[in-house]
Amino acid sequence: MDTGIIAGLLRQKSGQKIEVLGFQPVGGGSINAAYKVITTAAPFFLKVNRGAQAAPMFAAEVKGLNLLRRFSDFTIPQVINLHTQGNATYLLMEFIEAAGRGAGYWRELAVKLAGLHRQTADAFGLHHDNFIGSLPQANTKTADWPTFFARHRIAPMLKLAFDRNLVDKGFKRDVEAVLNRLTSMMPTEPPALLHGDLWSGNLMVDAAGAPCLVDPAVYYGHREMDLAFAHLFGGFSAEFYRAYAEVYPLEPGFEERLDLYNLYPLFVHLNLFGGSYFGQVNAIISRFT
Ligand code: ADP
């Protein structure tokens, strides 16, 4: 790691001479190398990516973090600097010093997530595109949710999976048939501002024991997307779902349609991590065909 570059970025932002004392690798991410930067001032969190897409990916992450800071009450790390030099892009932000969960943690998460979801817009989508993991995510503004979900979430992932021979023509037709019937399967709701990648790895505890969100893929979507994804890989307590339903009730039948929303993260995982996710996608498509 280039200590000089990082010290320069910190100095640029703070105006103070901050010395970098070392880098401790931070695990848990799926895409980038991450470090705790130990300095003569506070520690910082650093993500480094040397891929061709790194600069637009991190730029979108910064926009997402800033949107969440502006439109929610969550603790969201403050971005310090974004810098590309040679083939490396560096994203520096405030380091969240994790404590144990406070007593009201899950309820607070529910209340703050409902608050985020009550932020609405005139269409589904967003004024800029971003990424889900390292895959592009189009946020083309669309009047209705089923069209947005089919056209800008599932169709691009299905095409990618087909082009990479991860799914065949027959399966593609089955998915398209399910997409054509979405309108009757998803309740109509106003566009809701979403975190967009809400799995437990992107949910932290701040120094005060309160929930903190990182690594977003924000857009205005159906709020059931965030809740379904939270279910998919687990790690969220039952208390969270109970409290959410109390402060911002869902239309009946969420449990039955949850898998439909999760077609998106599962297709993303199929494209990012390979064929082992096909079974899960296939099981959902068979259920709804
Ligand atoms: P990736 O983009 O590679 O998925 P993440 O942004 O999810 O990386 O970060 C990886 C891990 O680092 C997270 O799971 C979390 O535990 C930790 N982390 C993320 N942001 C911060 C931060 N600002 N301060 C401290 N730790 C963080």
Side-chain angles (χ1 to χ4, degrees), residues 26-32 45 47 61 77 93-96 201-202 204 214-215:
V26 175
S30 44
I31 309 284
N32 306 289
F45 183 70
K47 280 165 81 157
E61 181 170 343
M93 63 182 96
E94 173 192 353
F95 189 87
I96 301 297
N202 288 339
M204 297 184 65
V214 296
D215 208 13

Side-chain angles (χ1 to χ4, degrees), residues 187-236:
T188 302
E189 288 205 354
L193 190 54
L194 307 184
H195 174 279
D197 196 2
L198 192 61
W199 70 291
S200 59
N202 288 339
L203 172 64
M204 297 184 65
V205 188
D206 72 11
C212 163
L213 299 182
V214 296
D215 208 13
V218 292
Y219 62 100
Y220 289 90
H222 201 301
R223 64 194 171 108
E224 291 182 349
M225 284 293 278
D226 268 353
L227 298 170
F229 192 26
H231 265 282
L232 184 61
F233 297 121
F236 291 72

Side-chain angles (χ1 to χ4, degrees), residues 69-153:
R69 279 178 77 83
R70 185 164 160 212
F71 289 112
S72 82
D73 297 327
F74 280 109
T75 301
I76 307 289
Q78 179 147 27
V79 174
I80 310 289
N81 218 326
L82 172 64
H83 177 74
T84 300
Q85 188 157 334
N87 66 350
T89 300
Y90 306 92
L91 174 54
L92 257 178
M93 63 182 96
E94 173 192 353
F95 189 87
I96 301 297
E97 212 60 77
R101 288 185 192 110
Y105 179 87
W106 292 111
R107 187 171 179 86
E108 190 175 345
L109 174 67
V111 170
K112 289 181 172 175
L113 190 66
L116 177 70
H117 289 167
R118 285 190 194 277
Q119 300 296 317
T120 191
D122 55 0
F124 295 93
L126 194 66
H127 42 69
H128 66 268
D129 293 339
N130 45 23
F131 292 83
I132 179 77
S134 55
L135 299 175
Q137 174 168 272
N139 294 321
T140 313
K141 288 194 180 177
T142 306
D144 73 287
W145 169 254
T147 304
F148 180 85
F149 182 75
R151 201 173 282 168
H152 301 298
R153 290 294 174 266

